[in-house]
Amino acid sequence: AQKVTQAQTEISVVEKEDVTLDCVYETRDTTYYLFWYKQPPSGELVFLIRRNSFDEQNEISGRYSWNFQKSTSSFNFTITASQVVDSAVYFCALSTAEGANNLFFGTGTRLTVIP
Amino acid sequence: DAGVTQSPTHLIKTRGQHVTLRCSPISGHKSVSWYQQVLGQGPQFIFQYYEKEERGRGNFPDRFSARQFPNYSSELNVNALLLGDSALYLCASSSTTGGAGSGALLTFGSGTRLTVV
């Protein structure tokens, strides 16, 4: 079975602080994909990143960075120098080659950046 | 270019009624998926269609059905509405044959917020 856990329900930070959103996943499949999506108040899910299980390289994109560690089944997301526009709900998701043809989402982390 | 468009944006229905939600994928995308997002939860997979054929189904009752048209647009139908069907219904499209299980990148619409009273 596939499962994604985002233990942090809500996080509040002051603008310019760094913040890390945690994601722990479970799967028995050896081939899988991990995603992060951002959901602003408008409702649509905005794609941020996709990684496959064979690529453990960390990635940086501007103020965003991702730390993928298979040893701990984690795929954490860090925002550096947070801005008010980063306020949203962030979802981590998992899909597997052997599982159903869909994304398994975590319950999300609501990030509020205070000016 | 237009993204994934969904209609209507908001809808209020009474228990027992039927509802149809519509989705137009990004031009050139042939795969459409539907997700249900209950308030405070992550989205849950309902269906995936590719070239008018169902390619995946989530754990939802038979009251939920969907179809895809020759122009790749899609409808999600829900019969005998229950209060628990109140949610944001999200449609996503992708350009590849496979669904998310093959790593396909899904582009989501803004959703239809359904309220059942």
Side-chain angles (χ1 to χ4, degrees):
Chain A
Q2 289 77 23
K3 185 178 180 182
V4 175
T5 301
Q6 295 180 255
Q8 305 151 309
T9 305
E10 295 191 30
I11 300 176
S12 291
V13 298
V14 176
E15 200 171 20
K16 298 184 183 177
E17 286 185 344
D18 298 348
V19 58
T20 296
L21 309 183
D22 298 333
C23 172
V24 175
Y25 63 92
E26 295 177 32
T27 180
R28 293 178 181 169
D29 297 328
T30 56
T31 302
Y32 53 89
Y33 302 85
L34 295 164
F35 302 78
W36 275 94
Y37 280 87
K38 173 183 180 179
Q39 188 174 44
S42 54
E44 82 275 21
L45 288 165
V46 178
F47 167 79
L48 296 177
I49 190 171
R50 172 184 56 191
R51 306 296 282 179
N52 70 53
S53 52
F54 301 107
D55 184 1
E56 283 193 76
Q57 275 192 329
N58 293 328
E59 182 159 337
I60 298 175
S61 176
R63 296 184 296 107
Y64 295 170
S65 62
W66 291 269
N67 184 352
F68 178 24
Q69 290 194 339
K70 288 178 74 171
S71 61
T72 56
S73 297
S74 64
F75 186 44
N76 297 336
F77 172 32
T78 297
I79 301 175
T80 303
S82 59
Q83 300 177 0
V84 173
V85 294
D86 295 328
S87 296
V89 181
Y90 291 85
F91 289 96
C92 181
L94 165 72
S95 69
T96 70
E98 299 300 324
N101 209 10
N102 60 290
L103 285 169
F104 296 90
F105 284 87
T107 51
T109 298
R110 180 177 297 278
L111 174 66
T112 301
V113 181
I114 303 166
Chain B
D1 286 342
V4 177
T5 58
Q6 294 186 242
S7 62
T9 54
H10 295 82
L11 201 53
I12 299 176
K13 289 286 190 177
T14 304
R15 277 179 299 176
Q17 284 189 316
H18 163 271
V19 69
T20 297
L21 310 181
R22 295 178 174 83
C23 172
S24 293
I26 290 174
S27 177
H29 285 193
K30 299 181 179 180
S31 175
V32 170
S33 300
W34 287 95
Y35 286 76
Q36 180 197 63
Q37 186 179 11
V38 173
L39 192 63
Q41 299 295 317
Q44 277 198 295
F45 173 69
I46 311 176
F47 288 109
Q48 189 233 343
Y49 276 79
Y50 179 79
E51 291 280 14
K52 297 176 289 181
E53 289 189 5
E54 182 182 301
R55 293 295 184 93
R57 173 185 283 256
N59 188 24
F60 280 80
D62 292 343
R63 299 185 296 107
F64 288 76
S65 64
R67 56 180 175 168
Q68 187 177 31
F69 299 99
N71 66 354
Y72 306 113
S73 67
S74 177
E75 282 183 355
L76 175 69
N77 295 284
V78 187
N79 293 324
L81 285 167
L82 303 175
L83 295 179
D85 295 330
S86 296
L88 178 68
Y89 288 85
L90 293 162
C91 174
S93 73
S94 68
S95 59
T96 60
T97 304
S102 61
L105 178 57
L106 305 186
T107 302
F108 285 84
S110 297
T112 294
R113 185 163 298 282
L114 172 65
T115 302
V116 182
V117 297

